[in-house]
Amino acid sequence: MTYVLVWRALFTKVFQKSPRELLFLAIMALGQACMVIVQMIVLENFLDHVNNTDSGFSHFFLLLFAAIIANRFLNGFFNYSVNMFIKKIQKTTEVIFIEKMLRIPLESFYDVDFEVRKSQAKQGAKTAPLFLMISLMIVFFNIPFFILFSIYLARQYPLLLVCTLIAILSGIFAEVKNRKQFGILEDSIAVSRREAEYYLSCIADKEYFKETRLFNGFGYFRRKYKESASQFAVQSYKTEKKAFFNTIISQGAKMLAYILILLLLLYSLANHFISLGVFGAIITALTNLFTLIDDTVHRDIGNLSHFYANIKSYVEFIDSETEEQKSDIDLPQEIEFRNISYTYPHENRAALDGLSLCVKKGQTLAIVGENGSGKTTFSKIILGLINPREGKIFANGHEIKLNAGRVSGLSAAFQDYQRYELMLRENVCISDVSKNIVDQTVHKILDRFGIFCDDRKTFARGLETVLSRSFDGTDISNGQWQRIALARAQYRESSVIVLDEPTSAIDPLEESALYTQFAQMCENKTGIMITHRLGLARVADRIAVFDKGRVTEIGSHNELMTLHGKYFDMYTKQSALYLRCEF
Amino acid sequence: MSWDFTDLLDGVVRSAEYVEDYKRYMGLPEKEVKSETVGHIDTSASGSLEIKNLTFTYAGNAQPTLRNINMKIESGKKYALVGTNGSGKSTLMKLILGLYDDYDGEIFIDGRNINEFSQMEINSGITAVFQDFAHFALPFRDLINLGKEIPSSDAEIIKAAGDLALTGLIERMEFDLGRSLGKLLKDGTDLSGGEWQRVSILNAVMRQSKIVILDEPTSALDPILESSIYRDFAQACKDRTLLSISHRLGSISDADEIFVLADGEIAEQGTHQELMHKQGLYYRMYSLQKKWYENKLA
């Protein structure tokens, strides 16, 4: 994508959502450009008037005074209000980013390249408003100003225009070169920046700090952080140095142009090519112009090129193709999977390898198998979070397209369920935001899973208790979190419910109660449960044994036991833990 | 001009706010660090642990999480700590690891009060595998050698990894321990939940600490691994003191002594047989779990 295309794409995206903010910026900028020229013409007339007559005070003086005040006022107002507009536009660009994120297929998140692009795009969403503002200023202030000024110069003395153009172009030339450098830099440092951020979080984040301290890992992470950060700094320094040389050359050219213009002006004045008024107006405007060139070229275009790489990532990210998530079938009665295969990005080994399985409504199915046999991957396929590379899926007997979110009306509790630092109520209801929240329902569901929100010892504010100490709430135990995750899955309106290792952190008393509840939970639904607890698997109508991405055994507990296969082996080993030492 | 001025003013005001935050952060109360050097292992340490009249209340909570805990842990023996959710097991573990200071009572390691130890000394004397262990996206070798004075050789790591059924992972990494775990870096290898768990256990095994604490280490392991991991671990930690926290009562039933924690107090303690005869909380929990494996489901 070229520079112009990127700009146009960004502009149209933002204009659709915040047209007023952009229009305001453009009009204000154009107004200021005109004001500067008006001030110049008034100054010329004033000086000529003073030069030609003896009285210093006239309506020209008042006019000049008014022009200067108006100019300053406009300028001040603009600078004051621009921050507010930038904030508003930032909200727009970030919302666009978030909306896009929701449409990204889950499998992208397993890809390192995607992570890099995502973090650049996120940075782009932050800088986009400034980028837009600056480019609008250039289009509606700087360019009109240069054009108007050029017309003025050309009418007085064309050679002056030539010198001015040299000054402007030399600056732009250096910046275009610098832009390329920073583009390359941004691509090359993205990885080391992410590393540096990660090492910092290993020292300071809640997730890591316990173990970092326990293992005396602080020194290691500090060293790694320094390595990444200095790599980052070295690369930046190299680029800055190159950019610095480009800048010196362009500054030199501009300086020469400036001296030339001054000489020309003096020469013209001495030979009466121009009046004193014109001389004065041009000299004053020149100071403005050169400050402006400096600002435009070194600050504005500099900023633009600095931001450009991220903005480009942002636009590409927003425009990248994602399939519309439209579900074909709501609340399916039966789902059949035929020859499903799946391999994670950048992995060689297939997680699922020609797997076939059928799940029917009202039935419970337990999935068991060794670590890495593809159980969790399959749950993601069922839920439409990832798409199989090969195979067919049928819902209610109809073949359905293999795209994300192909079936709705499914619910799940994952092994690595999310702990939202939100209120207890929100932590349950987040699974189905389309429902009207009725506290009684939430209460009932939580009660069922052994979370008693009236227990003020744990939940000081009942359903309103925020489940995080960092938001002035309480930290709850893993077991309690797990039960909330189950309540969350239950709350969602669904015909299929998938539970991935639902009781790993729950104590034996609770666990036993939950096993009995499991049947209730799956009443009139398809219940799919992934578990290592074979005692729990026994409760299911059918048990599927996964091995290397395929179903190797399927049937009821008794059927599988008579097979004397993998299931028999696993069950015997686990039950031996309970049955061997009798007293 | 007005641009520069407002800009500067804005900048100053905003940075002043950040400076305040920074000052507040730097002024946070610090824990006394007695020694900055990397902890070295006291070879004479035997790995015994004693807790006397320990009571602990979290800041902001009215009720104590742990009440009057007394435990005597002898070196080289295998212990288990069980109890209901929220009974204080994880808190007790954190106290033993010296992560909290403001408790009542005393904790002794090898007869010395842990107040006298530097954090570094505690860290090298005790190691732990947490239930919510961190998924460090580091090169395998670096993770195992994190904070260690004498790093383990690749051969040692590969051998120990084999004992913990991590051969598959090592093969996927093509025997290059310089490769990263997780997906942070491009050459990183993704691990399953069970593999992460075994890596964290391996990490504990490879540390020479005399006391090892395992907090619910088998929750993501399949039945075949689960049945052997405690034995393998005990084997790898033969002369070390082992304290396991678990909800899988079947897998810790052969511990030398089992402590049962209920509502922040030690409700029962003894061997599996003793506790079963007592017919208390342990008996109830064990029987419930066992029921699911009995021939007829109730």
Side-chain angles (χ1 to χ4, degrees):
Chain A
M1 254 199 249
T2 69
Y3 192 74
V4 178
L5 277 178
V6 168
W7 193 85
R8 204 179 63 186
L10 177 66
F11 183 82
T12 36
K13 284 259 149 53
V14 177
F15 191 77
Q16 278 165 5
K17 297 218 171 195
S18 321
R20 270 191 313 173
E21 281 76 16
L22 292 181
L23 275 177
F24 172 84
L25 285 176
I27 290 169
M28 285 295 288
L30 203 60
Q32 284 186 80
C34 295
M35 276 310 293
V36 176
I37 298 297
V38 167
Q39 193 188 331
M40 217 173 118
I41 294 169
V42 172
L43 181 65
E44 177 200 327
N45 286 317
F46 172 72
L47 286 176
D48 280 340
H49 176 76
V50 173
N51 197 24
N52 298 336
T53 59
D54 289 335
S55 84
F57 190 83
S58 71
H59 66 280
F60 281 112
F61 178 78
L62 282 176
L63 219 56
L64 180 66
F65 184 72
I68 291 173
I69 293 294
N71 203 358
R72 286 280 159 235
F73 178 77
L74 206 60
N75 191 238
F77 176 70
F78 176 79
N79 290 346
Y80 172 76
S81 54
V82 77
N83 278 335
M84 192 179 70
F85 282 100
I86 288 180
K87 290 254 158 60
K88 277 190 181 162
I89 296 174
Q90 186 171 345
K91 214 171 81 194
T92 307
T93 52
E94 289 185 339
V95 165
I96 294 175
F97 177 77
I98 293 164
E99 283 171 354
K100 178 68 182 184
M101 280 299 287
L102 295 177
R103 296 194 300 270
I104 302 279
L106 187 77
E107 63 181 1
S108 303
F109 290 85
Y110 299 107
D111 190 346
V112 181
D113 292 335
F114 171 77
E115 281 300 316
V116 174
R117 277 183 283 129
K118 191 185 79 187
S119 85
Q120 282 180 348
K122 199 167 145 196
Q123 201 69 25
K126 276 206 186 95
T127 44
L130 253 182
F131 183 84
L132 271 180
M133 196 273 290
I134 294 171
S135 48
L136 279 179
M137 283 300 285
I138 289 175
V139 174
F140 289 99
F141 177 72
N142 298 19
I143 292 177
F145 174 70
F146 289 138
I147 290 172
L148 290 172
F149 188 66
S150 306
I151 295 171
Y152 184 84
L153 283 183
R155 278 181 53 198
Q156 307 297 344
Y157 196 33
L159 200 55
L160 283 171
L161 178 60
V162 177
C163 293
T164 316
L165 285 180
I166 292 173
I168 297 170
L169 290 178
S170 64
I172 292 175
F173 173 72
E175 276 312 313
V176 169
K177 283 194 97 171
N178 289 352
R179 195 193 75 200
K180 269 192 202 140
Q181 290 295 337
F182 282 112
I184 297 165
L185 175 73
E186 191 56 39
D187 287 343
S188 67
I189 60 177
V191 173
S192 46
R193 180 166 57 199
R194 228 153 47 85
E195 277 177 15
E197 277 167 10
Y198 178 71
Y199 295 131
L200 200 62
S201 76
C202 282
I203 295 175
D205 281 8
K206 200 179 172 187
E207 190 191 344
Y208 293 107
F209 90 107
K210 246 187 340 199
E211 276 158 276
T212 301
R213 275 195 196 182
L214 187 68
F215 298 148
N216 296 334
F218 178 68
Y220 173 83
F221 287 116
R222 183 167 55 184
R223 202 176 64 240
K224 288 298 249 188
Y225 173 74
K226 272 189 179 164
E227 273 169 23
S228 299
S230 71
Q231 204 179 354
F232 179 91
V234 165
Q235 273 161 332
S236 306
Y237 175 72
K238 270 191 206 153
T239 314
E240 297 277 359
K241 207 161 85 178
K242 277 186 193 152
F244 178 71
F245 282 117
N246 291 337
T247 310
I248 281 193
I249 293 167
S250 77
Q251 283 285 0
K254 198 186 70 186
M255 186 76 163
L256 279 176
Y258 189 62
I259 293 169
L260 215 62
I261 293 173
L262 280 183
L263 291 176
L264 268 175
L265 274 178
L266 282 173
Y267 173 79
S268 319
L269 184 65
N271 292 303
H272 299 288
F273 295 154
I274 54 174
S275 72
L276 184 71
V278 173
F279 179 81
I282 292 180
I283 284 282
T284 323
L286 266 185
T287 326
N288 274 339
L289 179 75
F290 275 84
T291 325
L292 201 64
I293 293 176
D294 264 351
D295 282 359
T296 314
V297 165
H298 298 117
R299 194 186 61 199
D300 297 348
I301 299 187
N303 276 340
L304 287 185
S305 46
H306 228 98
F307 298 154
Y308 177 69
N310 283 331
I311 299 289
K312 189 167 166 231
S313 305
Y314 174 73
V315 170
E316 281 170 354
F317 187 80
I318 298 297
D319 281 346
S320 65
E321 247 177 74
T322 41
E323 283 173 54
E324 206 46 51
Q325 300 215 355
K326 207 178 103 253
S327 56
D328 301 332
I329 288 178
D330 194 34
L331 302 169
Q333 306 286 313
E334 180 193 301
I335 310 180
E336 192 190 346
F337 301 87
R338 273 189 214 159
N339 287 317
I340 299 293
S341 292
Y342 186 81
T343 310
Y344 284 97
H346 300 299
E347 297 263 330
N348 302 319
R349 200 175 48 105
L352 294 179
D353 189 12
L355 178 136
S356 299
L357 192 60
C358 181
V359 283
K360 287 195 178 73
K361 188 169 175 180
Q363 269 199 352
T364 49
L365 171 76
I367 299 175
V368 302
E370 286 182 50
N371 290 122
S373 56
K375 302 186 296 296
T376 298
T377 307
F378 181 64
S379 76
K380 288 179 195 155
I381 299 254
I382 299 176
L383 295 166
L385 296 171
I386 53 178
N387 294 316
R389 303 267 185 256
E390 279 165 51
K392 284 177 179 167
I393 302 176
F394 298 85
N396 299 347
H398 301 287
E399 185 174 355
I400 50 175
K401 264 183 275 162
L402 298 181
N403 61 355
R406 52 201 171 260
V407 174
S408 58
L410 311 173
S411 185
F414 293 106
Q415 212 172 352
D416 52 346
Y417 54 85
Q418 196 48 253
R419 298 156 183 228
Y420 296 101
E421 296 192 347
L422 300 170
M423 286 178 202
L424 176 58
R425 182 198 292 123
E426 294 166 309
N427 257 296
V428 174
C429 300
I430 199 147
S431 63
D432 200 338
V433 286
S434 64
K435 273 205 227 176
N436 281 327
I437 296 176
V438 182
D439 277 0
Q440 252 180 320
T441 319
V442 182
H443 239 268
K444 240 171 85 187
I445 290 179
L446 281 171
D447 267 2
R448 246 165 105 178
F449 289 99
I451 297 283
F452 306 106
C453 44
D454 292 329
D455 168 18
R456 299 283 144 159
K457 227 173 84 188
T458 322
F459 302 106
R461 277 178 230 143
L463 286 174
E464 314 258 299
T465 315
V466 176
L467 302 183
S468 159
R469 221 171 275 197
S470 41
F471 289 102
D472 200 20
T474 15
D475 279 344
I476 56 172
S477 72
N478 286 326
Q480 283 169 316
W481 269 118
Q482 200 158 36
R483 282 179 269 171
I484 289 173
L486 288 171
R488 185 186 297 160
Q490 174 79 78
Y491 179 78
R492 183 176 168 82
E493 196 67 54
S494 65
S495 68
V496 177
I497 189 159
V498 180
L499 304 174
D500 189 355
E501 203 54 67
T503 62
S504 64
I506 292 182
D507 68 53
L509 300 179
E510 275 311 325
E511 186 181 59
S512 215
L514 279 170
Y515 284 9
T516 345
Q517 253 169 28
F518 182 70
Q520 266 182 45
M521 204 173 162
C522 301
E523 217 166 67
N524 294 322
K525 287 182 184 182
T526 309
I528 298 168
M529 165 175 52
I530 297 169
T531 185
H532 288 317
R533 311 266 75 83
L534 301 183
L536 171 57
R538 269 177 85 180
V539 190
D541 297 324
R542 285 192 308 160
I543 301 166
V545 182
F546 274 39
D547 191 21
K548 298 189 178 84
R550 287 170 195 230
V551 178
T552 51
E553 295 166 29
I554 189 159
S556 69
H557 171 75
N558 290 335
E559 286 164 11
L560 293 186
M561 288 303 278
T562 53
L563 277 180
H564 282 262
K566 190 109 195 164
Y567 181 80
F568 174 81
D569 196 21
M570 290 198 289
Y571 187 83
T572 319
K573 281 215 163 100
Q574 199 167 61
S575 59
L577 291 173
Y578 291 92
L579 305 174
R580 68 178 165 194
C581 46
E582 281 325 305
F583 70 102
Chain B
M1 218 159 44
S2 63
W3 176 265
D4 287 349
F5 188 62
T6 47
D7 227 26
L8 280 177
L9 220 59
D10 215 42
V12 169
V13 172
R14 211 170 304 169
S15 336
E17 278 299 310
Y18 288 136
V19 170
E20 266 312 305
D21 288 344
Y22 185 68
K23 255 168 67 185
R24 219 170 298 141
Y25 173 74
M26 294 312 283
L28 286 175
E30 284 176 27
K31 198 171 157 172
E32 204 183 332
V33 180
K34 284 174 191 137
S35 128
E36 263 295 349
T37 53
V38 172
H40 50 88
I41 298 128
D42 183 0
T43 41
S44 66
S46 59
S48 74
L49 184 73
E50 193 173 359
I51 295 170
K52 282 185 184 163
N53 303 322
L54 180 73
T55 297
F56 178 75
T57 312
Y58 276 105
N61 285 12
Q63 297 286 330
T65 306
L66 292 173
R67 264 195 309 264
N68 204 27
I69 303 283
N70 285 289
M71 282 166 95
K72 214 173 148 109
I73 287 179
E74 290 169 36
S75 68
K77 287 196 177 174
K78 314 296 174 222
Y79 294 84
L81 183 61
V82 302
T84 51
N85 286 124
S87 59
K89 299 188 298 292
S90 296
T91 307
L92 181 58
M93 172 179 174
K94 286 178 192 158
L95 282 164
I96 296 173
L97 291 168
L99 292 172
Y100 299 127
D101 283 335
D102 42 353
Y103 55 87
D104 294 323
E106 287 158 311
I107 303 172
F108 297 96
I109 297 175
D110 291 335
R112 248 174 89 202
N113 195 314
I114 62 165
N115 290 335
E116 299 164 22
F117 287 83
S118 72
Q119 187 65 44
M120 293 290 180
E121 281 175 301
I122 298 176
N123 293 354
S124 49
I126 306 183
T127 196
V129 180
F130 293 97
Q131 195 176 14
D132 55 342
F133 58 87
H135 294 46
F136 281 114
L138 299 177
F140 201 157
R141 185 189 298 136
D142 290 14
L143 173 62
I144 301 299
N145 289 326
L146 189 61
K148 271 206 268 192
E149 203 173 23
I150 308 153
S152 308
S153 72
D154 285 7
E156 284 172 307
I157 298 173
I158 290 174
K159 189 184 167 296
D163 292 344
L164 285 166
L166 278 168
T167 316
L169 172 67
I170 302 280
E171 276 168 10
R172 284 218 304 290
M173 298 177 81
E174 292 167 353
F175 295 90
D176 178 3
L177 298 187
R179 289 206 192 172
S180 289
L181 304 174
K183 277 280 178 195
L184 177 78
L185 295 172
K186 224 176 175 157
D187 69 342
T189 310
D190 221 2
L191 276 70
S192 70
E195 279 175 333
W196 273 116
Q197 204 159 28
R198 276 172 281 153
V199 166
S200 77
I201 293 173
L202 172 68
N203 195 9
V205 172
M206 299 298 287
R207 287 166 196 279
Q208 297 304 314
S209 321
K210 286 288 176 195
I211 304 173
V212 183
I213 303 178
L214 296 173
D215 185 4
E216 198 65 63
T218 61
S219 59
L221 299 186
D222 64 55
I224 290 174
L225 281 169
E226 184 196 12
S227 70
S228 62
I229 201 110
Y230 277 100
R231 218 171 310 137
D232 293 346
F233 195 84
Q235 189 69 29
C237 301
K238 227 180 292 166
D239 51 341
R240 294 186 239 178
T241 314
L242 185 59
L243 176 61
S244 314
I245 301 175
S246 183
H247 287 319
R248 313 253 69 82
L249 302 185
S251 45
I252 49 95
S253 56
D254 53 1
D256 293 319
E257 186 160 20
I258 300 166
F259 296 96
V260 184
L261 212 56
D263 278 330
E265 287 176 306
I266 304 249
E268 298 165 21
Q269 71 185 79
T271 61
H272 172 73
Q273 269 75 13
E274 287 165 3
L275 292 175
M276 290 302 278
H277 278 297
K278 217 173 183 177
Q279 308 230 330
L281 179 61
Y282 180 84
Y283 170 81
R284 265 199 307 158
M285 293 199 290
Y286 188 88
S287 312
L288 268 174
Q289 222 163 41
K290 184 180 158 192
K291 197 181 75 188
W292 297 94
Y293 296 95
E294 276 164 357
N295 286 335
K296 271 214 173 100
L297 280 175

